[in-house]
Amino acid sequence: MSTDIDPHQPADEGHREDDDGWGNSHAARMAPGFSGLEAREYRPGSRPGAGYVRRVRDPKAEFRYVDEGLLEATPEADAARGALGKLLGGIKRVLIGRPVASEQESQERTGKLKGLAIFASDNISSSAYATEEIMRVLVLAGVGALALTMPLTLAIIVILAIVVISYRQVIFAYPNGGGSYVVAFQNLGTLPGLVAAASLLTDYVLTVAVSVSAGVEAITSAFPSAFEFRVVISVVLIALMTTVNLRGIRESGNVFTVPTYVYVVAMLGMLGYGFVRFFTTGLPEYHAPPDWLVQHGAGGALTLLLVLRAFASGSVALTGTEAVSNGVPAFKRPEVPNAQIVLVAMGSLFAAIFFGISFLSGHIGIVPDPSEVETVNSQLSRVLVGDGWFFYLIQFSTAVLLILAANTAFNGFPRLASILARDKFLPHQFEFRGDRLAFSTGIIALSLVSILLVIAFGGSVTALIPLYTIGVFVAFTLSQIGLVRHWFDLRQERNWQIRAGVNGLGAVATGIVAIVVAVSKFLLGAWIVLLLIPLLVGMMLAIGRHYNRVKGELEGDIPVTPAAIKHTIIVPVADLNRIAVQTLAYARSISPNVTALHIAQDEESARAFREKWLAWGDKVPLVTIESPYRSVVGPLLRYVDNIDRQDKDDTVTVILPEYVTAHWWEQLLHNQTALRIKAALLFRPGTVVTSVPYHAARHEGHQPAGVGEAK
Amino acid sequence: MSTDIDPHQPADEGHREDDDGWGNSHAARMAPGFSGLEAREYRPGSRPGAGYVRRVRDPKAEFRYVDEGLLEATPEADAARGALGKLLGGIKRVLIGRPVASEQESQERTGKLKGLAIFASDNISSSAYATEEIMRVLVLAGVGALALTMPLTLAIIVILAIVVISYRQVIFAYPNGGGSYVVAFQNLGTLPGLVAAASLLTDYVLTVAVSVSAGVEAITSAFPSAFEFRVVISVVLIALMTTVNLRGIRESGNVFTVPTYVYVVAMLGMLGYGFVRFFTTGLPEYHAPPDWLVQHGAGGALTLLLVLRAFASGSVALTGTEAVSNGVPAFKRPEVPNAQIVLVAMGSLFAAIFFGISFLSGHIGIVPDPSEVETVNSQLSRVLVGDGWFFYLIQFSTAVLLILAANTAFNGFPRLASILARDKFLPHQFEFRGDRLAFSTGIIALSLVSILLVIAFGGSVTALIPLYTIGVFVAFTLSQIGLVRHWFDLRQERNWQIRAGVNGLGAVATGIVAIVVAVSKFLLGAWIVLLLIPLLVGMMLAIGRHYNRVKGELEGDIPVTPAAIKHTIIVPVADLNRIAVQTLAYARSISPNVTALHIAQDEESARAFREKWLAWGDKVPLVTIESPYRSVVGPLLRYVDNIDRQDKDDTVTVILPEYVTAHWWEQLLHNQTALRIKAALLFRPGTVVTSVPYHAARHEGHQPAGVGEAK
């Protein structure tokens, strides 16, 4: 009988008692001291697992042996191959630098001075436009209404103080990074967490758009001729910032330290000089251009809504406060005190500058420029220090700081997105780190969306402002409520009432601001954000549900064993040539149950093909389909359907011959049909698709052996 | 020993004497009267070849049994599946109609009347602008130079007569369609053939662009307010024409018959009326607007070059003559006399109209409109018949005819492209016929390129004209030379000298025109075509060489047999879940030599994964690679390289698990890494890539069995 057994015949039924269906013998696996790998080395020359690892010939040192079955890839393994790959790799290296290994991550930490520049620049830079945005609303009720600028400034500084104190407690309670999402999610549940997350994501995007637009406005205040190019300049700046951030946090910190301190020192110096003048010789005289006054006109009524809108506009001053508490793990040890010091320093510096600008602008009587070309700060500097180098220093450092303030968002957005991805509320890609340990997907996503926003709003800060700040205050409020709950849960600890009280006050204050902003700016654009946040929350919930359903589906017992798989293989052949025969041989080496399928346009060519087939030796059964309507994909799919209906338990594999050309352009001349078949089979449940390549000869002389290579 | 034999072990060495390496026994194959298919039915339930065909359960009647191993697909097999497929299929049906079976082709023939409309409309429609283009050049030497219009018209009519007589002989000699390419290729060789082909392809594209632009000019002559939309109108018209042509020749013939005859009858009527007036009461008076005369000015010198340019411009009159000889097989039987009659009728009708327009315009003293808004023909009609309904009938039929004249190119281009594809000088796709038997690829290519051309040249006939006609005359000349050679080869036949003489005269005449056109219009744009033709020839030669090399590579003996294939299988696994295990089981069912490959970001997670693997039962050897730079594709490719270097004779198969989601948008959340691996492996020689799908559950209740389906 033994000669009747086909050597390729797989055993579908009745495998031996001691077989687990995977071809592994129990005896071998049970033997103590036996490596378990030897048992699987069925024939000489096979090298699975550690057996291979020790014996591998690796002249290029692409892998390092670590342990049984464990290799470590060296940078060699990542090196680009091929001319195009090397070119692209080279460009990438120039733009974002050499790859950084994961274990180098802990070194990527920041001290207090650098930390202030990185995490506080967003908040401090708001002082460049906070006063102006208040004035722009008030002036709608006439120039006289500008007198309310100072009281509103003070109100906002009080809120800021409350927020800073509240957030000192956040840092204390969440030393691993207490973003509003984490705090709300852990203390209040999924939905509040996601609302906070959606609010923050929206706000990060707006931070980039608003900061860059404001920075460009500072430039155009000094150089009005650049005004008409402001959108293009903004887009280029965002692109540059994206590149810097893809290089990683350490270098971006270096880039940002200098301008932050130049701005702070220059502003404090100028404002100090102004106060000295105020208390001694008196402030210099200023007369707003008469046509500005004409354009502002008598103004409408000074309604409560208008005052609230002015307050809401000024509350942009609070944006960016969250950045420090989000970034606690990025600080050098001890992280918590360092972060707290930076937080308080940030609040104090901001408050001082904001107060000074509002106070001096009010006393000098500065009026906002109706055409938006010159900023209030620029006018103030011009009046105080004249048109000299110091004026340009202030304008320039303001511009640079504002542009770099967007960097806070480039830190916060990808970090938050990665946490959301880890929690399965965003696609996996947001969790992966690029060559330089930065969350590349998040950085690129932020960059693209904010560029769209700048273009859509024509790079105007005043147009963007109504969308801004709602997100921040929604997130603030949820995070403070979450913290109240947190302290309540820890109510056996000392002073929990005081801590809960502080955060409760914070929640009330920021909650009121959130409502004021939403109501007073609803029609101006806030509705966009109020619509967007629930949409984002819905999307994140859907993604979360999807990933969870998939996880559930993929878990649990798997009844499939190799022995249980019965193959049915279909090989579409267009012609009987080397590539077809190679593919058929490959198919037959898997299972004897192979059918070649030829689709002909008419009966004549169908019969001619069969003749050719029989002449070749009819080594594999052939089915020819005449397709009178000349389509290939339709009849092929229907044939597979029929095969599948006949024998439901079989696994159908379609094996496609694929000709791979030596040059990419030649590829356009081949495989169009194979591509269409693959696309169609993708949506056919349960069909395995295999591509057997046949590579065109590049050089006649040297040809490697094996299937898939020209001989 | 028998229990030591693994059931999955393929025989790599020493297969039996009577085995051909394909698992077919010689004995069975040799047995007379034995079907040869039974021998391959290794186990019950397998159904390759005819055995399957007879037993297939095909409740939907998708296939019809024809003969052993031969099925015919019914329209059912082509029916669209799925909601999206049905929607797209429905739209396609509405636009281009139900599919037409290949065997219905012979019915798609055309009679003389319809044939004249289809093949002659290009040539006859040239009369709408031929006179004007001559005048536009002459007027550069002042209005007085317009006196040369008539002599140039007569010269062109003489050339036309020569070409028509020459092409009567082409039809006689090549009743299967004697395009210039075929004639030049068969008689003069590959290079002249391809030059003729490239010239014609270029010219077909220009025919569409020029005819549609001229048609739109006829519309804007009647409705000047439409002038600014001429490019948009042209593009829409080309798109409409594309759709009509995708529906197939029969219907397009119906669309085109009426306007051609309306134009011919209306023009002959109007010109006849003009001649009656000329010989009786005298022609009506006409005075060109004084500002036109001012704009034309005194003009430059009337050089020989200018006269030649005017002649060259007028020679557009000859374009389209080739269409009839190309389309001989599309005529009803007897094809040759029918085509010859149509050719002569076309020449006569065109000559009469052209002569009439030039003669009457000259005697009335019409001057071309410098702003290009009103055509010469429009002025002539206005003067002769006034602003009434007949004027609008002429303008409208001119417009429709010109637009439909482009249809000649929609016939000629795809047909020529399909012949070139058959001869391997263009990609295969140009040879395939769409649902309605039209060469869809060629139609769509022509449509896209001509739309680009119309946009690039702003829809101006005068701007496009210098590019036109060179191609035609190059092709004419080559075809006539080829025919002289053809008659010489048949020199034992009667009258061969006369035939050769006629075509020789044709070659000389068209050759001179080709040179005149190229020289006189070189700087105006002819250089573009003179550059394009060699580029196209080079491309076609490269494609031809490529296909031939591939054919050579794929022919000849194939040493691969299933028994000679040694499998090495690598299964990248991201997690140990159902989809991974299913894929591993599939891999193990092919060969015992399977290695699972897991790429981890750090050593900790690598070790954790190995623990999980051992807990599962370590059924397949696992290699884990720690990738400190977080890349997946690089280390995977390098691992495959190492495996391949170790054992050069093995066939490496990478089997990828692929999760197929229930809804398309969910797909964005999965398989990004699998996609990147597939793209990278495509360029790795000799790696077989298999996708094992795991389809998400759509409905909890019903689940089909087998690999690749959720359970």
Side-chain angles (χ1 to χ4, degrees):
Chain A
M1 272 305 280
S2 109
T3 46
D4 282 337
I5 295 169
D6 185 87
H8 302 289
Q9 170 105 36
D12 6 317
E13 308 291 336
H15 46 273
R16 286 155 299 140
E17 276 300 302
D18 61 351
D19 188 328
D20 61 354
W22 285 77
N24 300 318
S25 120
H26 277 294
R29 283 202 290 119
M30 297 299 196
F34 203 70
S35 98
L37 280 166
E38 310 294 313
R40 263 173 261 108
E41 298 198 334
Y42 296 97
R43 30 173 221 187
S46 84
R47 61 264 177 264
Y52 153 68
V53 171
R54 287 189 197 280
R55 279 185 285 111
V56 67
R57 288 193 296 273
D58 188 6
K60 294 181 184 162
E62 289 160 341
F63 297 104
R64 199 173 63 78
Y65 174 79
V66 180
D67 200 351
E68 173 172 319
L70 177 57
L71 301 173
E72 187 187 316
T74 66
E76 282 306 311
D78 260 335
R81 307 289 150 114
L84 186 67
K86 277 177 184 158
L87 178 69
L88 292 177
I91 293 173
K92 200 174 168 193
R93 288 295 86 79
V94 170
L95 284 177
I96 72 166
R98 305 219 136 262
V100 176
S102 302
E103 60 186 22
Q104 288 177 260
E105 199 197 358
S106 59
Q107 299 166 16
E108 303 267 335
R109 296 245 183 167
T110 175
K112 286 194 284 293
L113 271 184
K114 219 182 263 181
L116 187 72
I118 292 171
F119 294 111
S121 58
D122 177 18
N123 178 252
I124 291 179
S125 70
S126 319
S127 59
Y129 51 81
T131 302
E132 173 157 359
E133 292 303 324
I134 297 174
M135 291 167 77
R136 284 201 177 278
V137 177
L138 290 175
V139 85
L140 296 176
V143 175
L146 291 177
L148 282 174
T149 306
M150 201 55 217
L152 288 174
T153 300
L154 290 174
I156 290 166
I157 288 177
V158 169
I159 304 275
L160 174 68
I162 295 173
V163 169
V164 166
I165 296 167
S166 305
Y167 266 86
R168 278 198 74 230
Q169 298 199 156
V170 174
I171 293 172
F172 178 75
Y174 287 88
N176 293 321
S180 301
Y181 163 67
V182 174
V183 175
F185 186 74
Q186 290 188 3
N187 293 295
L188 305 176
T190 305
L191 199 61
L194 289 183
V195 171
S199 305
L200 281 174
L201 289 178
T202 313
D203 229 72
Y204 281 131
V205 174
L206 282 158
T207 299
V208 175
V210 169
S211 300
V212 171
S213 298
V216 174
E217 273 183 15
I219 297 172
T220 57
S221 293
F223 307 100
S225 58
F227 187 71
E228 57 174 315
F229 306 109
R230 58 181 183 171
V231 173
V232 176
I233 298 173
S234 301
V235 171
V236 170
L237 289 170
I238 295 175
L240 275 174
M241 203 148 28
T242 307
T243 314
V244 170
N245 275 281
L246 287 173
R247 295 189 76 96
I249 187 173
R250 204 164 28 172
E251 297 190 26
S252 61
N254 290 335
V255 172
F256 299 134
T257 311
V258 177
T260 307
Y261 288 104
V262 170
Y263 175 82
V264 168
V265 171
M267 281 308 277
L268 289 178
M270 182 187 81
L271 295 170
Y273 168 75
F275 278 100
V276 171
R277 285 284 297 264
F278 178 73
F279 289 113
T280 57
T281 60
L283 287 166
E285 270 202 32
Y286 164 87
H287 298 288
D291 59 314
W292 290 13
L293 298 175
V294 173
Q295 281 183 60
H296 285 307
L302 185 65
T303 58
L304 178 64
L305 185 66
L306 201 71
V307 177
L308 289 177
R309 246 180 76 193
F311 173 78
S313 287
S315 65
V316 288
L318 277 81
T319 58
T321 318
E322 153 134 353
V324 182
S325 67
N326 255 321
V328 182
F331 280 93
K332 283 188 182 152
R333 279 167 244 276
E335 291 95 345
V336 169
N338 281 344
Q340 286 178 329
I341 290 166
V342 165
L343 180 69
V344 173
M346 176 190 84
S348 313
L349 288 172
F350 173 78
I353 297 170
F354 184 31
F355 178 85
I357 292 171
S358 292
F359 183 89
L360 292 173
S361 299
H363 279 85
I364 291 174
I366 282 169
V367 172
D369 172 3
S371 69
E372 290 187 45
V373 173
E374 181 160 24
T375 64
V376 166
N377 282 20
S378 168
Q379 293 183 59
L380 179 64
S381 320
R382 216 185 276 270
V383 171
L384 283 177
V385 298
D387 257 351
W389 66 269
F390 199 75
F391 166 74
Y392 284 100
L393 177 73
I394 286 184
Q395 282 312 112
F396 189 72
S397 67
T398 306
V400 175
L401 179 68
L402 278 166
I403 292 160
L404 299 187
N407 192 58
T408 320
F410 273 99
N411 258 295
F413 183 98
R415 199 180 285 263
L416 176 57
S418 78
I419 296 172
L420 288 166
R422 186 199 64 201
D423 293 353
K424 311 282 178 214
F425 293 119
L426 280 183
H428 293 320
Q429 293 96 297
F430 285 97
E431 212 183 340
F432 298 148
R433 288 171 173 236
D435 281 350
R436 305 281 289 183
L437 286 168
F439 294 108
S440 317
T441 310
I443 291 173
I444 289 163
L446 173 64
S447 168
L448 291 180
V449 180
S450 58
I451 284 175
L452 281 182
L453 211 59
V454 167
I455 293 172
F457 285 81
S460 159
V461 175
T462 309
L464 283 164
I465 279 288
L467 283 72
Y468 204 24
T469 65
I470 307 172
V472 180
F473 283 99
V474 169
F476 277 168
T477 311
L478 287 167
S479 140
Q480 300 307 314
I481 296 173
L483 228 62
V484 172
R485 174 71 192 264
H486 174 79
W487 302 127
F488 181 75
D489 288 348
L490 299 174
R491 63 191 170 278
Q492 54 275 59
E493 290 193 10
R494 225 156 51 96
N495 293 340
W496 76 269
Q497 296 97 334
I498 296 173
R499 292 187 187 276
V502 167
N503 287 121
L505 181 64
V508 171
T510 54
I512 289 171
V513 178
I515 292 166
V516 168
V517 173
V519 170
S520 69
K521 296 191 168 182
F522 187 79
L523 291 176
L524 293 170
W527 64 269
I528 300 175
V529 175
L530 290 171
L531 197 73
L532 194 65
I533 290 174
L535 285 178
L536 278 173
V537 170
M539 189 193 78
M540 291 192 284
L541 282 173
I543 291 174
R545 265 198 305 270
H546 173 78
Y547 277 134
N548 272 325
R549 200 178 55 232
V550 171
K551 197 161 172 284
E553 258 179 33
L554 296 183
E555 272 174 353
D557 261 4
I558 307 130
V560 187
T561 61
I565 292 176
K566 284 186 280 177
H567 286 287
T568 293
I569 300 180
I570 298 167
V571 182
V573 285
D575 200 356
L576 185 57
N577 51 22
R578 289 173 79 108
I579 176 166
V581 174
Q582 174 192 277
T583 309
L584 289 166
Y586 182 88
R588 205 56 175 272
S589 77
I590 293 177
S591 159
N593 190 14
V594 176
T595 307
L597 183 65
H598 176 73
I599 296 179
Q601 294 214 357
D602 50 58
E603 202 177 319
E604 193 183 344
S605 71
R607 290 191 186 277
F609 189 80
R610 176 162 287 276
E611 287 308 309
K612 205 171 164 186
W613 194 265
L614 294 173
W616 167 58
D618 193 24
K619 295 185 167 63
V620 171
L622 169 72
V623 168
T624 309
I625 296 178
E626 179 199 338
S627 174
Y629 298 89
R630 297 165 303 284
S631 55
V632 172
V633 176
L636 186 135
L637 284 180
R638 295 299 86 75
Y639 182 80
V640 175
D641 286 349
N642 274 298
I643 288 280
D644 215 16
R645 260 200 299 276
Q646 272 212 160
D647 215 339
K648 284 194 193 303
D649 290 340
D650 271 27
T651 295
V652 178
T653 302
V654 176
I655 305 191
L656 293 164
E658 214 158 288
Y659 187 79
V660 181
T661 55
H663 307 284
W664 69 265
W665 63 267
E666 297 171 339
Q667 203 63 55
L668 298 173
L669 304 173
H670 298 277
N671 299 330
Q672 309 292 343
T673 308
L675 263 179
R676 275 162 53 221
I677 293 174
K678 271 202 244 182
L681 286 173
L682 182 66
F683 294 101
R684 211 193 160 273
T687 319
V688 179
V689 179
T690 297
S691 300
V692 178
Y694 187 95
H695 285 260
R698 231 179 234 271
H699 311 291
E700 283 305 315
H702 163 260
Q703 282 301 329
V707 156
E709 285 140 0
K711 283 187 184 73
Chain B
M1 276 301 283
S2 109
T3 47
D4 282 338
I5 295 170
D6 186 86
H8 301 288
Q9 172 106 32
D12 7 316
E13 310 289 338
H15 45 274
R16 289 154 300 139
E17 279 297 302
D18 61 351
D19 191 324
D20 60 354
W22 286 77
N24 301 317
S25 122
H26 277 294
R29 282 202 290 121
M30 296 301 194
F34 203 67
S35 99
L37 280 164
E38 309 294 312
R40 262 171 263 109
E41 297 201 331
Y42 296 97
R43 32 174 222 188
S46 81
R47 61 264 177 261
Y52 153 67
V53 171
R54 288 188 197 280
R55 278 186 285 110
V56 65
R57 285 195 295 277
D58 188 6
K60 291 177 186 166
E62 289 159 341
F63 298 103
R64 198 173 64 77
Y65 173 79
V66 180
D67 199 349
E68 174 172 318
L70 175 58
L71 300 173
E72 186 187 315
T74 66
E76 282 307 310
D78 260 335
R81 307 288 150 115
L84 187 67
K86 278 181 182 154
L87 179 69
L88 293 176
I91 292 172
K92 201 172 165 195
R93 287 294 87 80
V94 170
L95 285 178
I96 71 165
R98 305 217 137 263
V100 176
S102 303
E103 57 186 21
Q104 290 177 261
E105 199 197 359
S106 60
Q107 298 166 16
E108 303 268 332
R109 296 244 180 168
T110 174
K112 285 191 287 291
L113 271 182
K114 219 182 264 180
L116 186 73
I118 294 170
F119 294 110
S121 59
D122 177 18
N123 177 253
I124 291 179
S125 71
S126 318
S127 60
Y129 51 82
T131 301
E132 173 156 3
E133 293 303 322
I134 297 174
M135 291 167 79
R136 284 200 178 279
V137 178
L138 290 174
V139 84
L140 297 175
V143 175
L146 291 176
L148 282 174
T149 307
M150 200 56 217
L152 288 173
T153 300
L154 290 175
I156 290 166
I157 289 176
V158 169
I159 305 273
L160 174 69
I162 295 174
V163 169
V164 166
I165 295 167
S166 304
Y167 266 87
R168 277 197 76 227
Q169 296 200 161
V170 174
I171 293 173
F172 177 76
Y174 287 88
N176 293 322
S180 301
Y181 163 67
V182 173
V183 175
F185 186 76
Q186 290 189 2
N187 293 294
L188 305 175
T190 304
L191 197 63
L194 290 183
V195 171
S199 304
L200 279 174
L201 290 178
T202 314
D203 228 73
Y204 280 130
V205 173
L206 282 158
T207 298
V208 175
V210 169
S211 299
V212 171
S213 298
V216 174
E217 272 183 18
I219 298 173
T220 56
S221 292
F223 308 100
S225 58
F227 188 70
E228 59 175 315
F229 304 111
R230 59 181 183 170
V231 172
V232 176
I233 297 172
S234 300
V235 170
V236 170
L237 288 172
I238 295 175
L240 274 175
M241 203 147 28
T242 307
T243 313
V244 170
N245 275 282
L246 288 173
R247 294 189 78 98
I249 187 174
R250 205 165 29 176
E251 296 189 26
S252 61
N254 291 335
V255 172
F256 298 135
T257 310
V258 177
T260 307
Y261 287 105
V262 170
Y263 176 82
V264 168
V265 171
M267 282 308 277
L268 289 179
M270 184 189 80
L271 296 170
Y273 170 74
F275 277 99
V276 169
R277 284 284 296 263
F278 177 72
F279 287 114
T280 57
T281 59
L283 289 167
E285 271 198 36
Y286 163 87
H287 299 287
D291 60 313
W292 288 14
L293 297 175
V294 173
Q295 282 182 59
H296 285 306
L302 184 66
T303 58
L304 178 63
L305 185 68
L306 200 73
V307 175
L308 289 178
R309 245 181 76 195
F311 173 76
S313 289
S315 66
V316 287
L318 277 79
T319 58
T321 318
E322 154 134 353
V324 181
S325 67
N326 257 321
V328 182
F331 279 91
K332 282 188 184 154
R333 277 170 244 275
E335 292 96 344
V336 169
N338 282 343
Q340 286 178 329
I341 290 167
V342 166
L343 179 70
V344 173
M346 175 192 84
S348 312
L349 288 172
F350 172 77
I353 297 171
F354 184 31
F355 177 85
I357 293 171
S358 293
F359 182 89
L360 293 173
S361 299
H363 278 88
I364 291 172
I366 283 167
V367 172
D369 172 3
S371 68
E372 290 188 41
V373 172
E374 183 162 22
T375 62
V376 165
N377 283 18
S378 168
Q379 292 182 60
L380 179 67
S381 319
R382 217 186 276 275
V383 171
L384 281 177
V385 299
D387 258 352
W389 66 271
F390 198 75
F391 166 74
Y392 284 100
L393 176 72
I394 287 183
Q395 281 313 109
F396 188 73
S397 68
T398 306
V400 174
L401 179 67
L402 276 166
I403 292 160
L404 300 188
N407 192 58
T408 319
F410 273 100
N411 257 297
F413 184 98
R415 198 180 286 261
L416 176 57
S418 77
I419 296 172
L420 288 165
R422 187 199 62 199
D423 293 352
K424 310 282 180 215
F425 293 118
L426 281 181
H428 292 320
Q429 293 96 296
F430 285 96
E431 212 185 338
F432 298 150
R433 290 172 171 235
D435 281 350
R436 305 281 289 187
L437 288 169
F439 295 108
S440 318
T441 311
I443 291 172
I444 290 163
L446 173 65
S447 167
L448 293 179
V449 179
S450 58
I451 284 174
L452 283 181
L453 210 61
V454 166
I455 294 171
F457 285 80
S460 158
V461 175
T462 309
L464 283 164
I465 280 288
L467 282 74
Y468 203 26
T469 66
I470 306 173
V472 179
F473 284 97
V474 169
F476 276 168
T477 311
L478 287 167
S479 136
Q480 300 306 312
I481 297 174
L483 227 62
V484 171
R485 173 72 191 263
H486 174 79
W487 301 126
F488 182 74
D489 288 347
L490 299 173
R491 61 189 171 280
Q492 53 275 58
E493 291 194 8
R494 227 155 50 98
N495 293 338
W496 76 268
Q497 295 98 333
I498 296 174
R499 293 185 187 278
V502 167
N503 288 120
L505 181 65
V508 172
T510 52
I512 290 171
V513 178
I515 293 165
V516 167
V517 173
V519 171
S520 67
K521 295 192 169 178
F522 187 81
L523 291 176
L524 293 169
W527 64 270
I528 301 175
V529 175
L530 290 171
L531 198 72
L532 195 65
I533 289 174
L535 285 177
L536 279 173
V537 170
M539 188 193 80
M540 291 192 283
L541 281 174
I543 291 174
R545 266 197 305 271
H546 172 79
Y547 277 134
N548 272 325
R549 200 177 57 234
V550 170
K551 196 160 173 283
E553 260 180 29
L554 296 183
E555 271 173 356
D557 260 6
I558 307 128
V560 186
T561 61
I565 292 175
K566 284 187 280 175
H567 286 285
T568 293
I569 299 180
I570 298 168
V571 182
V573 286
D575 199 356
L576 186 56
N577 51 22
R578 290 174 77 107
I579 177 166
V581 174
Q582 174 193 281
T583 309
L584 290 166
Y586 182 88
R588 205 56 175 271
S589 76
I590 293 177
S591 161
N593 190 14
V594 177
T595 307
L597 182 67
H598 177 74
I599 296 179
Q601 294 216 355
D602 50 59
E603 201 176 320
E604 193 184 342
S605 71
R607 290 189 187 279
F609 189 80
R610 177 162 287 280
E611 286 308 310
K612 207 171 163 188
W613 195 266
L614 295 173
W616 168 57
D618 192 25
K619 294 184 169 64
V620 172
L622 170 73
V623 168
T624 310
I625 296 178
E626 180 198 339
S627 173
Y629 298 89
R630 299 164 301 285
S631 54
V632 172
V633 176
L636 185 132
L637 284 181
R638 296 298 87 74
Y639 181 80
V640 175
D641 286 349
N642 272 297
I643 289 280
D644 215 15
R645 262 200 298 276
Q646 275 214 157
D647 215 340
K648 284 192 192 302
D649 290 339
D650 271 30
T651 294
V652 178
T653 302
V654 176
I655 304 192
L656 292 163
E658 212 158 290
Y659 187 80
V660 181
T661 56
H663 307 283
W664 68 266
W665 63 267
E666 296 172 339
Q667 203 65 51
L668 298 172
L669 305 172
H670 298 277
N671 299 331
Q672 310 291 344
T673 309
L675 263 179
R676 274 162 54 223
I677 293 173
K678 270 201 247 182
L681 286 173
L682 182 66
F683 295 101
R684 206 189 164 278
T687 319
V688 179
V689 179
T690 297
S691 299
V692 179
Y694 187 96
H695 284 259
R698 226 178 236 272
H699 310 292
E700 286 304 316
H702 162 258
Q703 281 303 328
V707 156
E709 284 141 359
K711 292 198 175 64

